[in-house]
Amino acid sequence: MIKKISLSLLLSCLFLSLIAQEELSLSKAIQVGLENNYELKIIRKAEQISELNNSWGNVGRYPRIQFNLQGRGIKDYNESNDFTRLSVIPSLDLNWTLFEGFAVQIRKDKFDDLEQLSKGNTLIAIENRIELIILSYYKILLEKERLKVSEKIMNLSSDRYERSKVGKELGSAVTYDVLQSKNAWLEDRSSYLLQEVNFNNAVRDLNFLLGVKESKTYKFSDEFLPVSDEYQLANLLDKMLSNNNNLKNRYIQEMILRRDVELAKSNFYPKLNFGAGIQGNRVKLKPDGMSSSTTDSHNLYANISLSYLIFNGNSNRRALQIAKIQEEIGKIETEDLKHTLTNALAQSYELYQVRRELYLLAEENLEAAELNLSISKDKYESGSINSFNYRDVQIGYQNVALSRLNAIFNLIQSRTSLVRLTGGILNE
């Protein structure tokens, strides 16, 4: 009676723990990971800084207005009479650069590009995080399926061990058979326990990516099945050249270098400045032994100045030449990135095609292995084959089942890589 109550309590606790587990789909995992990741939080802050820097006031379009206040006290010692002079001079000055070789517009365009580059860096970081979460999520499903295979093999070994013990009692089996079946069961039990550790570690790795407690457990709702799509390399190449965010960022960096060339050219233009202001002057004069007198005055001024740099040791010319060289370097780096991405796409595409075929072969192989295992089990129980033959079939089935699971994960990994290279990982 006590055993029945204990068993019912254990089952109830197990049921409640399963209910308490949070259901986690891949899409939800990506959402949580993007919200909690520390690196993305830092990158988003950097994006806010670039947005704040991108303003007309930061590039010199608007005038500069400054208030100044100066106070002065003077004590004069003369032969005839000593006196004290106190003066207060407030002023309000306005300085405005009306023209400096279109540099204001060029700097604003450059800040626009820098803001877009910062947003592009955020997108790249998000893509990296999504890819890691996808592979980590499916790694958990892979370890979970491996655990099922290990459990199945362990149960088969346990049944074989129990049958051998019964056979020994009945006289149809010897001690050697019992020891062999026991060793097989212990080996499979050890594999199962190690696989449990692998599964738990995979969950911890995902929790780390999601920024949650490592001890948190889930009920994983997605199935461990690949999406086997048909792709054409030419179409993938077109998508990559137009949608890859690393390449988009490279184009923006190339544009920024072009802005630097334009800024260097602006130094060869004259500069036109406008200045205006108002200055007040209050002077209090007090001769020794006499009453003081106060004098107020105000001055208004406005001026326009035109300056043109004739020669400064060819510094501007060298700056322009360096900017052009850096622009050429940027173009070379863009071509290098295109070449690198094209090569990576070709390799990923070929690997994806091979892994599709391997997955289909693994499915067919598993069907044959399952049928062979079922037939061998019946033959072993009927005495048609011995325990050694049955054990070989078990090991063969385990290898085939694990190979199929690896084929599924490899296919998912290859497809994720293709989608990432072609800039579609955010859309999917």
Side-chain angles (χ1 to χ4, degrees):
M1 184 66 179
I2 294 176
K3 290 183 178 179
K4 291 183 178 179
I5 294 175
S6 300
L7 182 59
S8 62
L9 287 175
L10 180 62
L11 292 175
S12 298
C13 293
L14 180 61
F15 178 73
L16 290 175
S17 64
L18 290 175
I19 294 178
Q21 282 185 344
E22 177 184 350
E23 186 172 288
L24 185 67
S25 63
L26 177 58
S27 58
K28 187 175 180 180
I30 292 173
Q31 179 183 353
V32 173
L34 295 182
E35 290 175 355
N36 296 339
N37 184 256
Y38 299 111
E39 181 184 356
L40 289 179
K41 289 180 180 179
I42 295 173
I43 292 176
R44 289 191 178 102
K45 293 297 181 182
E47 185 178 338
Q48 292 177 7
I49 293 174
S50 67
E51 291 175 358
L52 292 173
N53 282 329
N54 187 17
S55 64
W56 286 107
N58 200 31
V59 298
R61 161 165 281 192
Y62 302 118
R64 182 172 177 264
I65 301 175
Q66 180 174 331
F67 173 76
N68 303 295
L69 180 63
Q70 181 181 359
R72 180 182 299 175
I74 301 175
K75 180 69 175 179
D76 284 350
Y77 296 95
N78 300 311
E79 293 180 355
S80 59
N81 193 12
D82 299 336
F83 62 88
T84 301
R85 179 183 297 153
L86 300 174
S87 60
V88 179
I89 307 172
S91 64
L92 188 66
D93 300 317
L94 180 146
N95 293 293
W96 195 0
T97 301
L98 300 179
F99 180 77
E100 53 175 335
F102 310 102
V104 171
Q105 183 63 53
I106 296 171
R107 283 195 291 264
K108 183 62 172 64
D109 293 338
K110 183 176 179 179
F111 275 119
D112 289 338
D113 295 336
L114 289 172
E115 182 179 350
Q116 292 301 317
L117 180 63
S118 180
K119 292 180 178 179
N121 290 333
T122 302
L123 291 178
I124 291 174
I126 290 174
E127 285 184 338
N128 290 335
R129 187 58 47 178
I130 290 176
E131 184 176 19
L132 289 175
I133 293 174
I134 289 174
L135 297 180
S136 181
Y137 187 91
Y138 279 109
K139 181 68 164 30
I140 292 174
L141 299 184
L142 171 64
E143 301 298 345
K144 183 179 178 181
E145 295 298 322
R146 283 176 173 172
L147 188 63
K148 291 180 180 179
V149 173
S150 297
E151 184 180 13
K152 183 175 182 179
I153 297 298
M154 182 184 65
N155 291 335
L156 289 174
S157 297
S158 177
D159 292 340
R160 175 189 165 197
Y161 178 41
E162 294 299 327
R163 289 180 62 86
S164 64
K165 288 195 296 185
V166 174
K168 182 183 177 183
E169 293 176 357
L170 298 177
S172 59
V174 296
T175 304
Y176 181 76
D177 294 332
V178 176
L179 292 175
Q180 290 296 320
S181 59
K182 182 179 181 180
N183 289 338
W185 176 74
L186 292 174
E187 181 182 350
D188 294 337
R189 175 65 177 167
S190 299
S191 299
Y192 176 79
L193 294 175
L194 290 175
Q195 186 56 39
E196 274 190 330
V197 173
N198 293 335
F199 173 76
N200 293 332
N201 286 337
V203 175
R204 291 189 185 95
D205 291 340
L206 179 63
N207 285 336
F208 178 77
L209 289 175
L210 302 186
V212 299
K213 294 181 179 180
E214 64 174 16
S215 59
K216 193 170 184 179
T217 58
Y218 309 95
K219 180 182 177 183
F220 300 96
S221 57
D222 285 27
E223 296 182 353
F224 188 62
L225 293 174
V227 179
S228 183
D229 294 331
E230 289 281 353
Y231 292 116
Q232 297 295 327
L233 183 57
N235 295 335
L236 292 175
L237 182 60
D238 291 339
K239 287 183 179 180
M240 185 198 71
L241 294 177
S242 59
N243 298 329
N244 184 273
N245 283 304
N246 291 89
L247 199 54
K248 286 182 179 180
N249 264 21
R250 187 60 249 170
Y251 292 144
I252 296 175
Q253 290 171 342
E254 193 175 327
M255 180 61 69
I256 291 173
L257 294 174
R258 194 172 306 159
R259 306 291 186 203
D260 290 337
V261 173
E262 294 173 355
L263 281 174
K265 289 180 179 178
S266 68
N267 292 326
F268 292 91
Y269 287 86
K271 291 181 174 57
L272 183 64
N273 293 296
F274 171 75
I278 180 171
Q279 184 182 65
N281 192 3
R282 167 168 286 193
V283 179
K284 183 178 181 180
L285 185 64
K286 185 180 183 305
D288 289 351
M290 300 176 63
S291 59
S292 62
S293 61
T294 302
T295 303
D296 292 331
S297 63
H298 298 85
N299 299 318
L300 296 174
Y301 75 90
N303 59 69
I304 293 179
S305 63
L306 178 68
S307 61
Y308 183 75
L309 182 64
I310 297 177
F311 182 75
N312 65 342
N314 286 329
S315 295
N316 289 345
R317 188 172 301 278
R318 284 194 298 271
L320 178 59
Q321 291 174 343
I322 291 172
K324 287 182 177 179
I325 293 173
Q326 289 176 338
E327 183 184 13
E328 293 174 359
I329 293 173
K331 292 180 180 178
I332 295 173
E333 290 176 344
T334 301
E335 292 302 318
D336 179 50
L337 181 60
K338 283 183 181 179
H339 191 187
T340 301
L341 290 175
T342 302
N343 184 56
L345 180 66
Q347 292 180 355
S348 298
Y349 174 77
E350 183 176 1
L351 185 60
Y352 174 77
Q353 295 297 104
V354 171
R355 285 179 170 176
R356 282 187 68 203
E357 294 296 327
L358 291 176
Y359 164 68
L360 297 176
L361 293 175
E363 288 288 349
E364 293 182 7
N365 201 5
L366 180 64
E367 292 180 5
E370 286 178 340
L371 180 59
N372 188 23
L373 180 64
S374 178
I375 295 173
S376 299
K377 183 180 178 182
D378 294 337
K379 287 186 176 182
Y380 172 70
E381 292 176 351
S382 63
S384 301
I385 61 174
N386 58 35
S387 60
F388 297 102
N389 300 130
Y390 185 43
R391 180 61 178 172
D392 291 339
V393 173
Q394 286 181 357
I395 294 175
Y397 168 79
Q398 183 181 27
N399 293 335
V400 170
L402 294 178
S403 297
R404 171 187 171 272
L405 296 177
N406 290 332
I408 293 175
F409 182 80
N410 291 336
L411 185 56
I412 292 172
Q413 188 180 44
S414 292
R415 184 181 182 276
T416 304
S417 177
L418 281 178
V419 174
R420 167 72 192 282
L421 283 171
T422 53
I425 197 167
L426 292 176
N427 297 330
E428 291 202 6

